[in-house]
């Protein structure tokens, strides 16, 4: 469906009922906001959405129902039954209620999960939500971007207007993700420019990187029952200590074994981090190791930010065969916006499908670290490949 409003065009969103004054106002405001987000790549494969200004008689796939609740209220039993029925039919339901001092709490129900955030209220929230859906964002990412939006424009950096339009890039305006265990404090810092970051399957490969004096490396052994797991970690930690400059070597997943081996740092996936108890997160912080967390979009970035890690990884930038990722590739346009949002606060690692052929495009976004796998492990001449990619980083330092 396509909606034309003046010179502005929404291609993936329609506010309904089309003749309802509120829906008409939302559509106009959303189109105006969408125009301010340019330039933004067009994606004809993005989902189409119908956003309801009135509670519909029925809702299914592609429908978004906003169900504002009374101040300090919550969904009662009857409401939850209705929400579950809509979700089962594939609809998205957004429930909001007012908190104190201009704050609002949102609960977004989708077929895949429930997402809860708290942030500042703004009169342009729902049109902004519609505009970000029109950009192809998944609903939970569109939600946090819309809550970051400010009518006064304080959500965006004026110096980025010519490249990113009014896209939200000020982290302080974004909402807080609710429902996570308490954060025990900020994890130790790591270098702000981590550079080339090979992610490797065993200690043999890691030792080869030490021979080449690669400053940032990750050992990624996914099998927790690997018979030589502890030995592989210990060898990798020892190899990292042979790197004489800016050594920042990480162990993927196995944080207890990494702590026992006195590793520099660990990298955890979003689901792995969410599975930790408050005591486990506190133990991880007390180990003194650096922490990197994987993210796949804005909501997950905010969830990771809650724990104040040492760095954030975002991806997959491009399609990748090395890992099954539920989310679509992020692309360079999103990566450039992530850099503006995250880099003032954390080192940012781009990951997923990056190789020597597209590394220059990745670095053009301003990111200062890129994780690679096959670009190293499948290189015909490993030392030459590593040196070439390191030079690409050095040219932008």
């Amino acid at each position: 469906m396509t909606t034309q409003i003046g010179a502005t065009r929404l291609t993936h969103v329609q506010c309904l009922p089309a003749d309802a004054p509120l829906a008409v106002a939302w559509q106009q405001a959303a189109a105006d906001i969408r125009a301010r987000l340019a330039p933004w790549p067009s994606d004809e494969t993005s989902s189409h959405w119908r956003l309801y200004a009135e509670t519909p008689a029925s809702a299914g796939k592609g429908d978004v129902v906003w169900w504002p609740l009374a101040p300090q209220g919550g969904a009662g039993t009857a409401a939850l039954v209705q929400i579950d029925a809509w979700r089962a039919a594939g609809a998205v339901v957004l429930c909001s209620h007012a908190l104190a001092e201009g704050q609002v709490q949102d609960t977004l129900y989708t077929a895949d999960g429930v997402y809860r955030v708290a942030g500042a209220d703004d009169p342009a929230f729902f049109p902004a939500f519609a505009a970000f859906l029109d950009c192809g964002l998944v609903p939970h990412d569109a939600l946090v971007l819309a809550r970051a939006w400010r009518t006064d424009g304080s959500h965006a950096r004026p110096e980025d207007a010519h490249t990113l339009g009014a896209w939200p890039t000020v982290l302080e305006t974004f909402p807080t993700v609710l429902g996570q265990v308490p954060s025990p404090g900020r994890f130790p810092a790591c270098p702000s420019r981590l550079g080339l970051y090979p992610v490797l399957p065993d200690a043999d490969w890691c030792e080869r990187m030490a021979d080449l004096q690669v400053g940032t490396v990750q050992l990624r052994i996914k099998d927790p029952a690997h018979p030589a797991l502890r030995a592989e970690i210990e060898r990798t930690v020892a190899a990292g200590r042979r790197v004489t400059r800016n050594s920042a070597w990480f162990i993927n997943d196995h944080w207890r074994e990494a702590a026992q081996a006195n590793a520099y740092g660990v990298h955890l996936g979003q689901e792995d981090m969410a599975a930790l108890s408050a005591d486990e997160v506190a133990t991880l912080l007390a180990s003194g190791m650096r922490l990197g967390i994987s993210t796949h979009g804005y909501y997950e970035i905010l969830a990771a930010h809650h724990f104040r890690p040492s760095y954030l990884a975002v991806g997959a930038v491009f399609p990748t065969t090395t890992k099954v990722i539920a989310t679509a590739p992020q692309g360079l346009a999103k990566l450039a916006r992530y850099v503006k949002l995250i880099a003032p606060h954390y080192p940012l690692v781009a990951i997923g499908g990056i190789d020597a052929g597209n590394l220059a495009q990745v670095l053009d976004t301003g990111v200062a670290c890129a994780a690679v796998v096959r670009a190293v492990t499948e290189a015909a001449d490993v030392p030459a490949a590593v040196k070439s990619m390191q030079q690409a980083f050095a040219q932008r330092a």
Side-chain angles (χ1 to χ4, degrees):
M1 62 189 65
T2 298
T3 302
Q4 187 76 29
I5 301 182
T8 306
R9 182 183 177 96
L10 292 182
T11 57
H12 300 288
V13 168
Q14 184 178 21
C15 297
L16 298 173
D19 57 350
L22 181 57
V24 172
W26 281 353
Q27 191 88 41
Q28 177 69 67
D32 292 344
I33 291 172
R34 177 69 176 83
R36 295 172 60 191
L37 299 176
W40 183 252
S42 176
D43 183 359
E44 295 301 323
T45 67
S46 294
S47 299
H48 288 75
W49 300 99
R50 296 172 295 276
L51 279 58
Y52 287 91
E54 300 173 1
T55 303
S58 62
K61 186 174 177 59
D63 292 324
V64 179
V65 181
W66 190 27
W67 205 348
L69 303 175
Q72 307 303 322
T77 301
L80 289 174
V81 170
Q82 178 63 80
I83 290 169
D84 285 344
W86 281 334
R87 288 178 69 195
V92 172
V93 184
L94 174 60
C95 295
S96 306
H97 70 266
L99 303 174
E101 300 178 351
Q103 298 291 296
V104 63
Q105 179 175 321
D106 298 298
T107 303
L108 184 75
Y109 299 89
T110 75
D112 299 322
V114 179
Y115 306 87
R116 292 185 172 89
V117 300
D121 199 8
D122 188 278
F125 161 68
F126 202 77
F129 180 54
F132 288 112
L133 284 175
D134 193 65
C135 288
L137 277 296
V138 294
H140 50 282
D141 285 346
L143 168 65
V144 298
L145 282 162
R147 279 296 173 208
W149 186 271
R150 297 290 185 274
T151 301
D152 63 8
S154 61
H155 60 278
R157 302 179 190 280
E159 62 269 26
D160 298 327
H162 66 293
T163 55
L164 305 183
W167 197 276
T169 55
V170 179
L171 185 60
E172 291 77 11
T173 69
F174 278 73
T176 299
V177 171
L178 302 177
Q180 302 193 94
V181 301
S183 171
R186 188 170 191 120
F187 281 79
C190 61
S192 60
R193 301 186 67 86
L194 288 164
L196 181 67
Y197 188 171
V199 177
L200 302 168
D202 56 46
D204 287 343
W205 270 108
C206 293
E207 288 169 346
R208 293 178 69 179
M209 294 303 103
D211 293 340
L212 298 173
Q213 292 293 293
V214 178
T216 311
V217 169
Q218 181 185 133
L219 172 67
R220 183 175 184 266
I221 298 176
K222 296 305 294 181
D223 181 8
H226 190 290
L229 178 62
R230 291 179 183 274
E232 290 281 305
I233 291 174
E234 289 170 357
R235 285 176 56 195
T236 298
V237 171
R241 291 181 181 141
R242 292 198 280 115
V243 177
T244 58
R245 185 172 180 271
N246 294 333
S247 178
W249 281 38
F250 294 85
I251 307 299
N252 184 276
D253 285 354
H254 310 290
W255 64 272
R256 293 181 182 85
E257 292 82 358
Q260 291 169 358
N262 295 314
Y264 173 89
V266 292
H267 180 94
L268 296 180
Q270 190 81 192
E271 298 82 4
D272 301 311
M273 196 70 207
L276 297 183
S277 67
D279 287 345
E280 288 172 324
V281 176
T283 299
L284 180 55
L285 176 66
S287 73
M289 293 187 296
R290 281 73 174 174
L291 171 66
I293 302 178
S294 294
T295 67
H296 307 95
Y298 282 96
Y299 184 93
E300 291 191 0
I301 285 170
L302 297 179
H305 170 54
H306 168 78
F307 294 105
R308 306 300 192 269
S310 309
Y311 75 76
L312 291 178
V314 295
V317 178
F318 304 111
T320 176
T321 60
T322 59
K323 186 176 181 181
V324 177
I325 303 231
T327 55
Q330 300 289 304
L332 295 171
K334 280 185 184 176
L335 179 59
R337 287 154 174 78
Y338 294 151
V339 170
K340 292 294 184 179
L341 177 68
I342 300 170
H345 306 275
Y346 302 99
L348 176 63
V349 178
I351 189 169
I354 300 171
D355 56 29
N358 58 35
L359 179 60
Q361 293 175 283
V362 172
L363 297 184
D364 284 346
T365 67
V367 73
C369 180
V372 298
V373 182
R374 291 176 294 125
V376 169
T377 61
E378 296 182 7
D381 184 335
V382 172
V386 168
K387 182 178 180 180
S388 175
M389 288 186 286
Q390 287 179 321
Q391 288 175 340
F393 281 95
Q395 291 169 359
R396 290 168 168 79

